[in-house]
Amino acid sequence: MTELTLTRSPEDRRLYVLGDIGSLRFEGLLSRSATAEGGGRSWRFARRGVFTARAEAADSAGTQVGEFEAKTVRRGGTIRWRNQRLALRPASAWRERYALADGEHELAVVDGKGWGRKPVRVDVDDAMPLDPALLLFAVFVVRGLADDASGTAGAAASIAATG
């Protein structure tokens, strides 16, 4: 397993780097979209929907190459990447940690913390090389799920304190 951390660039607060895999530059209101770069290529990732967690990925030509659809009842969901259908399933009951899996084989474990200098940590299975864009997309999705969870927890705490 290789451990990677999504780390904010000291020169640019919107730019985050994932080791030698690539980078995410967050844009827009509440960072609901990002430009990803890696291996000389670029993609655009965007979160969609108000009541459900969805995300889409497009290549530099604007062709959709991936999407994430959350489960409606439980955490996690499905990532469709080109011709693959992968599961993003909870890997912890207490944290925003998800396993990116192809059937029973875990390709990566992504641990999201939301905002900060190091918002995501990733453990990647060295035996199965991943498309850098797919890994960056999974990181983008989990960071969004962690943001949503921390926002929900913050709202619940605020209601409890004022209730």
Side-chain angles (χ1 to χ4, degrees):
M1 287 288 229
T2 299
E3 184 178 308
L4 301 166
T5 302
L6 186 68
T7 306
R8 184 167 55 197
S9 166
E11 294 85 34
D12 183 347
R13 69 181 196 90
R14 293 189 171 271
L15 179 66
Y16 289 79
V17 178
L18 184 64
D20 60 356
I21 300 295
S23 65
L24 291 171
R25 177 179 300 283
F26 290 95
E27 308 162 353
L29 186 64
L30 304 174
S31 299
R32 292 185 57 85
S33 62
T35 300
E37 294 184 357
R41 299 180 298 160
S42 67
W43 305 268
R44 177 143 174 83
F45 301 156
R47 296 177 65 199
R48 304 277 188 233
V50 176
F51 299 109
T52 60
R54 291 195 43 175
E56 297 173 350
D59 63 16
S60 58
T63 304
Q64 185 173 343
V65 294
E67 68 179 342
F68 168 74
E69 181 107 21
K71 291 181 180 177
T72 54
V73 178
R74 306 184 84 183
R75 296 172 34 223
T78 302
I79 289 182
R80 286 188 262 305
W81 191 260
R82 300 191 190 276
N83 300 343
Q84 288 183 289
R85 185 180 171 103
L86 305 166
L88 191 65
R89 59 180 180 234
S92 171
W94 312 111
R95 296 166 49 182
E96 292 302 311
R97 179 181 291 170
Y98 296 88
L100 178 64
D102 186 3
E104 293 302 312
H105 185 75
E106 290 187 357
L107 306 172
V109 176
V110 186
D111 191 3
K113 297 174 183 67
W115 288 96
R117 288 189 183 118
K118 297 179 180 182
V120 179
R121 195 190 87 215
V122 184
D123 293 320
V124 181
D125 183 351
D126 296 329
M128 299 242 350
L130 284 177
D131 179 348
L134 169 59
L135 186 56
L136 288 166
F137 186 60
V139 165
F140 174 79
V141 167
V142 170
R143 182 187 167 274
L145 293 172
D147 284 347
D148 292 348
S150 67
T152 302
S158 176
I159 290 169
T162 60

